[in-house]
Amino acid sequence: MSGSRPSSVSSKASVGREPRPGPYPNPKLDDSDIDRDRDPEAALTRAPSGPVYTTFTPTTRKWIVTMITFAGFISPMTANIYFPVLDAVASDLGVSISKANMTLTTYMIMQAFSPTLYGDFGDAAGRRPAFITSFVVYICANLGLALQKNYAALLVLRMLQSFGSSGSLALCYAVVADVAVSAERGKYMGFVSAGINVGPSSSPVVGGVIGQYLGWHAIFRFCLIYTAVWLVPYVLFVPETCRNVVGNGSTKPTAWWNMTLLEFVRGRRHPPLPGSEEEEEEKAEGRKTRPKLRFPNPFNTLRVVFNPDLGLLISYGTIVYLVFILICATLGTQFADRYGYNQLQTGLCYLPYGIGCTVAAVVQGRILDWNYRRLAKKMGMTIDYKRGDDLSKFPIEKARLQPVIPILGLGVLATIGYAWALETTTHVAGPLVLLFVVGLCVTGSFSLVNTLVVDLYPEAPATAVAATNLVRCLCGAGATAFIDAMLQKMGVGWTFTFWPLVVVVFSPIIYVLMTRGPGWRAQRKARFQRERERERKEEKERLANEEILEGSDESSAAIVEKAEEEEGEKRVEDGIPVIERKKGESSSS
């Protein structure tokens, strides 16, 4: 029948057919294999041609993400692990509680600035040298902290400890961006967030147990051992993932600092034969991909903050983070004062918070991926799990921020309930249950925001996360410095009612980002493209000039060589130039 569409279309008959226009036109869409109208789910799984996003196998990706999840635990663990022993620290060193709290403030100040260096270093030189440098500094600082016995040494070494560990925060999120397409990024971000978010809430439990039975100096020995044990398999087996160094994983690293120890040893044992084609290819590839070591530029991080969408997103995420970190910073002292708990009991009070953070980290990633698929299906967009999606026409802001609204709303209510449960000193089960909900919702919302930061700045994800870290840690350091004064003047009830209400007041930022964010993102992408075009043009001009100089040098060398030959044939004898007889010619009498 001429007017009806056939029930099945063979691939041979449909070759060359133009794709049917839809709400989200895709020039790469090919209807020869699957009819989108009849099977929208199958249409979402089709993949256009082009290079894959990553060549790392699923097993390798899981191994990499597992390792960086344990690495992400280190910095927040170190910040909060001795919350339960602050009284003991102040007593042993003969200082006030306020001075003991200053070690937290200085730690967070350095935690703000350290990722600005490590983030840019990791984007330029690779993730491996940045991770290894970071944790070697951290191990040395812990060794000093385990041996120190005065307040000044504690203050300085805590800053050095923060400088070593805090760089890993930006690098962990960057590694996820290296190996995971945007459609699956939420799941992997969830696992990494589990390490980062569980640290502040579960480490006080560890610190309370160690402080109760081994003394607070043993806390730093524990941090040293944990990091050293992590570093061994990382150096041996975890490959370089930075896309500026190895691309999608198909390019072999040429610098030794980007190789695993096994790759380095294998390369030394089986080098390519001198003069072989393999050696020439390696040299050519090395000239293209070998990263240039340079001093990190912290101002690259500041550039991220001045983007309108990223600036708003980072600011809002910082406000949410303040609710999270201020509860952590005051939980131990509040439960000790109101319920008379010792160090071990105070540390155990962090468990519900930690469990909530863990559940949030795992669940929020799957929620993000589900919402991404839902919006893609609604728009008729093809999700490409191998090569990644072009987000230029996809509302990634809406996909990431829509789940924040209900989750954070519940977190605000739970925080206010927790505040007044403590204010009235109800049965301890009340505030502990509410702590679980706060960890689940408030921390989960903060992780959702971090995922969007990486999506919006794929050119340098470590630098983008470093910008987030800079703002939130500076604000967190300021807030922890005066939270005791707020508690004394306002009481715990009104203090922790004030901060959730600040979150509510600034929540219209979410609507602004979902409506105006795509336009700002498009402007930034166009600006980056212009910058890359200019850089490519300058690089071409530089190479052309080098070729001209090499050509002129060759011409000059040929002229000089010819002149020397002619000069060699001439000899001045008795002031009269004569032609030198060539070797083998007989001299005339």
Side-chain angles (χ1 to χ4, degrees):
M1 188 178 294
S2 60
S4 63
R5 185 169 58 90
S7 58
S8 63
V9 182
S10 67
S11 59
K12 183 176 179 179
S14 59
V15 172
R17 189 179 65 183
E18 290 296 326
R20 196 178 294 104
Y24 188 84
N26 186 352
K28 294 182 179 180
L29 202 60
D30 182 9
D31 288 341
S32 60
D33 298 322
I34 302 169
D35 192 338
R36 182 175 58 193
D37 294 338
R38 290 190 294 109
D39 194 355
E41 284 293 336
L44 285 173
T45 61
R46 285 174 298 176
S49 60
V52 295
Y53 186 82
T54 178
T55 59
F56 293 114
T57 64
T59 302
T60 303
R61 291 203 299 270
K62 289 176 183 177
W63 162 244
I64 293 170
V65 171
T66 299
M67 286 297 294
I68 65 170
T69 298
F70 283 101
F73 181 79
I74 293 175
S75 179
M77 172 193 72
T78 310
N80 302 347
I81 194 169
Y82 79 158
F83 278 170
V85 299
L86 281 175
D87 290 338
V89 171
S91 175
D92 287 356
L93 299 182
V95 297
S96 65
I97 291 292
S98 297
K99 283 193 173 182
N101 279 332
M102 281 298 294
T103 61
L104 303 178
T105 302
T106 55
Y107 183 96
M108 294 186 71
I109 290 174
M110 188 57 71
Q111 192 179 40
F113 288 103
S114 173
T116 63
L117 299 175
Y118 283 109
D120 186 57
F121 180 52
D123 284 332
R127 314 298 183 212
R128 282 182 57 83
F131 266 122
I132 294 171
T133 303
S134 171
F135 286 138
V136 166
V137 173
Y138 176 75
I139 288 173
C140 294
N142 276 303
L143 182 61
L145 284 165
L147 300 175
Q148 56 75 34
K149 294 182 180 180
N150 66 77
Y151 177 73
L154 175 67
L155 201 65
V156 173
L157 288 171
R158 278 284 285 176
M159 294 180 69
L160 183 62
Q161 184 189 44
S162 176
F163 178 77
S165 66
S166 302
S168 63
L169 293 174
L171 297 170
C172 287
Y173 285 111
V175 170
V176 174
D178 292 336
V179 301
V181 298
S182 55
E184 294 183 313
R185 196 166 291 160
K187 176 178 67 177
Y188 289 110
M189 283 288 190
F191 291 121
V192 175
S193 297
I196 293 175
N197 294 332
V198 169
S201 49
S202 63
S203 57
V205 181
V206 179
V209 173
I210 295 175
Q212 182 75 18
Y213 296 105
L214 299 176
W216 62 273
H217 283 89
I219 288 174
F220 302 113
R221 291 195 288 272
F222 169 80
C223 294
L224 187 154
I225 294 169
Y226 178 95
T227 309
V229 170
W230 179 89
L231 203 55
V232 171
Y234 182 82
V235 171
L236 287 172
F237 305 118
V238 178
E240 179 62 67
T241 63
C242 180
R243 302 183 74 84
N244 292 331
V245 178
V246 296
N248 63 356
S250 59
T251 303
K252 292 182 179 180
T254 55
W256 62 266
W257 55 82
N258 295 119
M259 301 178 187
T260 65
L261 186 59
L262 293 182
E263 289 174 338
F264 179 75
V265 171
R266 191 181 300 119
R268 295 294 296 269
R269 285 186 176 180
H270 305 285
L273 296 175
S276 65
E277 184 177 348
E278 183 182 358
E279 184 188 41
E280 295 299 324
E281 289 179 357
E282 284 192 6
K283 288 181 179 179
E285 190 68 26
R287 287 191 292 269
K288 294 179 182 178
T289 61
R290 188 181 181 91
K292 296 179 180 179
L293 292 181
R294 57 175 175 79
F295 189 79
N297 184 4
F299 293 103
N300 288 337
T301 302
L302 297 178
R303 291 179 59 190
V304 176
V305 179
F306 289 118
N307 286 276
D309 53 345
L310 284 162
L312 286 174
L313 182 64
I314 290 171
S315 300
Y316 188 72
T318 298
I319 297 170
V320 176
Y321 170 78
L322 289 179
V323 177
F324 161 69
I325 196 63
L326 290 177
I327 289 177
C328 266
T330 58
L331 190 153
T333 55
Q334 288 298 317
F335 276 80
D337 293 343
R338 294 176 183 276
Y339 297 98
Y341 287 166
N342 59 28
Q343 294 177 17
L344 176 58
Q345 292 171 320
T346 300
L348 292 174
C349 289
Y350 283 86
L351 273 179
Y353 203 31
I355 294 171
C357 292
T358 305
V359 174
V362 175
V363 172
Q364 60 95 5
R366 300 189 180 277
I367 292 175
L368 283 181
D369 290 344
W370 167 82
N371 200 47
Y372 186 102
R373 292 193 301 269
R374 184 184 67 84
L375 284 177
K377 181 179 178 181
K378 185 178 179 180
M379 300 179 65
M381 172 182 165
T382 301
I383 293 182
D384 189 351
Y385 290 99
K386 290 186 176 181
R387 297 164 181 82
D389 299 320
D390 180 10
L391 301 180
S392 59
K393 295 181 181 179
F394 181 75
I396 190 66
E397 294 85 358
K398 185 180 293 185
R400 301 307 194 204
L401 293 177
Q402 277 181 338
V404 172
I405 300 171
I407 295 174
L408 189 57
L410 182 59
V412 165
L413 295 176
T415 304
I416 295 174
Y418 163 79
W420 291 103
L422 274 185
E423 180 70 26
T424 56
T425 317
T426 61
H427 189 277
V428 70
L432 290 180
V433 170
L434 289 168
L435 273 175
F436 169 80
V437 181
V438 171
L440 180 68
C441 298
V442 175
T443 309
S445 300
F446 177 68
S447 300
L448 298 176
V449 170
N450 271 346
T451 303
L452 181 57
V453 169
V454 174
D455 288 326
L456 293 181
Y457 211 81
E459 295 83 6
T463 304
V465 178
T468 305
N469 203 72
L470 173 68
V471 176
R472 72 178 176 86
C473 288
L474 285 179
C475 294
T480 54
F482 65 75
I483 188 63
D484 284 339
M486 286 188 70
L487 290 170
Q488 292 173 7
K489 297 289 184 182
M490 301 171 62
V492 66
W494 285 112
T495 297
F496 286 106
T497 299
F498 168 78
W499 287 107
L501 291 179
V502 172
V503 173
V504 173
V505 169
F506 285 93
S507 290
I509 289 176
I510 295 177
Y511 175 78
V512 173
L513 287 171
M514 288 194 295
T515 53
R516 301 195 60 184
W520 286 328
R521 177 160 48 96
Q523 293 174 6
R524 180 170 57 255
K525 183 177 180 180
R527 186 175 71 250
F528 276 133
Q529 287 177 344
R530 290 194 298 268
E531 291 177 358
R532 282 194 292 267
E533 287 295 331
R534 186 176 67 251
E535 290 174 357
R536 279 196 290 265
K537 184 178 179 182
E538 291 175 353
E539 182 68 14
K540 287 180 180 179
E541 291 177 353
R542 185 183 64 82
L543 292 175
N545 291 334
E546 288 180 356
E547 290 177 358
I548 293 172
L549 290 174
E550 289 177 0
S552 62
D553 289 343
E554 291 176 359
S555 301
S556 301
I559 294 172
V560 170
E561 185 179 356
K562 184 177 180 181
E564 288 178 350
E565 290 178 357
E566 293 177 352
E567 186 68 22
E569 293 176 354
K570 294 182 180 181
R571 188 71 56 83
V572 178
E573 296 179 359
D574 298 330
I576 302 173
V578 297
I579 301 297
E580 187 181 34
R581 295 178 179 86
K582 293 183 180 180
K583 190 174 180 179
E585 289 182 357
S586 59
S587 59
S588 59
S589 56

